[in-house]
Amino acid sequence: ATSDADDDVKAKAQQDATDALAVPLEAFHRFFLAGKQFIGGDSPSIADIRLAVTLEFLRAIDYELPAWAEEYMQRMESTLGDAYSEPVADVRGYIEYARSQN
């Protein structure tokens, strides 16, 4: 969308949005993943798949994920293999396509 806001206002809004995302992500990390490989413990669950997909889509807005999130997604992909890699390839492909349209 277009806006009449100047570059400083846009930059501030972008930073505010980035900061706002960090709070629930860190809460999720501390509450659901503290000391565990996955939300349910040693094996991924549907909740893990949902979180991983959400994290993948945050890349669409060039959100810099915290290190724990990158490690978590790598664990998901490593543990689930093609069951993760194949569907996430579609997500990653969509993100690349969306970026190419700008």
Side-chain angles (χ1 to χ4, degrees), residues 1-53:
T2 60
S3 171
D4 293 331
D6 66 27
D7 289 342
D8 289 339
V9 170
K10 289 178 185 178
K12 173 76 170 112
Q14 184 176 14
Q15 186 60 52
D16 289 348
T18 297
D19 293 345
L21 278 171
V23 173
L25 280 178
E26 185 56 29
F28 200 95
H29 175 237
R30 288 176 184 243
F31 184 75
F32 291 107
L33 291 170
K36 298 185 282 189
Q37 292 292 306
F38 301 103
I39 294 169
D42 294 333
S43 301
S45 67
I46 190 70
D48 291 290
I49 292 169
R50 179 68 177 119
L51 175 59
V53 169

Side-chain angles (χ1 to χ4, degrees), residues 66-86:
W68 71 262
E70 293 288 353
E71 293 164 4
Y72 172 77
M73 291 189 320
Q74 289 171 1
R75 274 195 311 277
M76 285 289 292
E77 192 159 7
S78 175
T79 301
L80 296 176
D82 288 344
Y84 184 89
S85 298
E86 289 179 11

